[in-house]
């Protein structure tokens, strides 16, 4: 019998940036624990890593085209770093670029008691990203959210919701096929060095040792 399980890691980026900073919001600790867990599984004869899924996202501020590019670069930078420390041989690499993470924003609003919650949900669920009439853009979801109640709803989301959208822009899922009885020990976090790249070239290579603390 085969058990399909997942490992997840979430990293954070500053607003408007795609550089992976390891001293920002405990990125180093989470990535080190993830790498150690994946290596443990890869070293087990009973486990096979199937898929690495990287999803790049952004928050609603700014221009949609730039947000799409920003989320793509975040995903690429994380992929490039992972390939330095984890062997991807035999695994499928799935990169998804979402741009603005509207679905997650809606989940945040639903789970909150924010002011004007129902009006925000009405816009998120029923207003297209772009409202087009006679071939011209006449309105947008962003504009309606920004104007709602004099901007008070937008400012609330900007303070409490948007940082998670823009910072938790990349998620990794490692799917594994393991016998149901296989154990998965949780290793202690290890220190890693920082690599700063804006737009890395992605290449596959041998596993690289993480520097000692």
């Amino acid at each position: 019998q085969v058990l399909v399980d997942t490992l997840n890691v979430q990293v954070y980026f500053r607003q408007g940036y795609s550089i992976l900073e390891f001293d920002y919001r405990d990125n180093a600790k989470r990535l080190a624990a993830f790498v150690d867990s994946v290596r443990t599984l890869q070293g087990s004869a009973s486990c096979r890593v199937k898929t690495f899924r990287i999803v790049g996202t952004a928050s609603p501020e700014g221009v949609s085209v730039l947000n799409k590019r920003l989320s793509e670069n975040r995903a690429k930078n994380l992929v490039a770093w992972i390939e330095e420390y984890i062997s991807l041989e035999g695994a499928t690499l799935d990169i998804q670029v979402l741009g603005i993470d509207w679905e997650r924003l809606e989940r945040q609003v639903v789970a909150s008691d924010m002011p004007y919650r129902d009006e925000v949900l009405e816009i998120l669920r029923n207003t297209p990203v772009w409202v087009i009439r006679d071939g011209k853009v006449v309105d947008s979801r962003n504009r309606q959210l920004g104007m709602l109640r004099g901007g008070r709803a937008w400012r609330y989301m900007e303070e409490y919701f948007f940082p998670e959208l823009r910072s938790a822009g990349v998620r990794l899922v490692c799917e594994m096929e393991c016998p149901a009885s296989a154990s998965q020990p949780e290793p202690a976090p290890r220190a890693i060095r920082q690599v700063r790249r804006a737009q890395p070239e992605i290449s596959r290579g041998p596993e690289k040792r993480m520097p000692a603390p």
Side-chain angles (χ1 to χ4, degrees):
Q1 184 178 0
V2 175
L3 172 67
V4 178
D5 201 357
T6 60
L7 286 175
N8 297 272
V9 66
Q10 201 167 25
V11 297
Y12 296 84
F13 295 89
R14 299 183 189 276
Q15 181 179 0
Y17 288 86
S18 62
I19 295 173
L20 182 54
E21 299 178 68
F22 295 96
D23 57 353
Y24 183 63
R25 299 189 63 173
D26 288 330
N27 283 339
K29 182 178 179 180
R30 281 190 299 273
L31 284 172
F34 178 76
V35 168
D36 281 345
S37 296
V38 172
R39 286 184 177 178
T40 298
L41 291 165
Q42 288 179 327
S44 171
S46 60
C47 297
R48 182 173 71 87
V49 176
K50 290 181 61 181
T51 307
F52 286 87
R53 183 173 298 118
I54 296 89
V55 182
T57 66
S59 59
E61 304 103 321
V63 182
S64 294
V65 173
L66 296 180
N67 280 331
K68 192 82 169 181
R69 187 184 308 161
L70 182 64
S71 61
E72 179 181 8
N73 288 337
R74 287 172 175 171
K76 286 182 177 180
N77 285 345
L78 186 54
V79 169
W81 184 87
I82 286 173
E83 288 187 321
E84 291 194 49
Y85 292 103
I86 300 175
S87 172
L88 302 183
E89 184 177 358
T92 300
L93 182 63
D94 178 18
I95 302 176
Q96 300 177 14
V97 179
L98 300 185
I100 299 172
D101 195 347
W102 291 113
E103 290 185 4
R104 188 176 182 194
L105 178 58
E106 181 179 337
R107 292 196 300 270
Q108 288 175 313
V109 175
V110 167
S112 75
D113 58 355
M114 70 168 291
Y116 321 116
R117 173 180 175 275
D118 291 342
E119 294 170 81
V120 171
L121 288 174
E122 175 70 18
I123 294 173
L124 288 174
R125 291 170 176 172
N126 298 302
T127 302
V129 175
W130 301 108
V131 179
I132 300 176
R133 293 175 189 162
D134 299 326
K136 296 181 180 180
V137 175
V138 297
D139 204 352
S140 69
R141 183 183 298 167
N142 259 6
R143 180 179 176 276
Q144 290 195 17
L145 288 172
M147 294 183 64
L148 179 64
R149 300 289 181 169
R152 289 189 291 274
W154 179 275
R155 288 192 292 273
Y156 181 96
M157 293 188 292
E158 192 172 36
E159 181 176 358
Y160 295 104
F161 298 158
F162 292 176
E164 294 303 308
L165 298 178
R166 59 182 176 246
S167 297
V170 183
R171 298 183 294 271
L172 279 77
V173 179
C174 177
E175 298 178 352
M176 297 153 290
E177 288 184 348
C178 309
S181 59
S183 61
Q184 298 179 14
E186 184 174 341
R190 297 165 55 193
I192 56 179
R193 70 178 177 85
Q194 178 167 341
V195 180
R196 299 172 66 90
R197 281 187 270 199
Q199 298 184 14
E201 295 184 3
I202 300 175
S203 60
R204 305 188 185 281
E207 178 181 303
K208 184 175 179 180
R209 286 185 172 273
M210 300 176 70

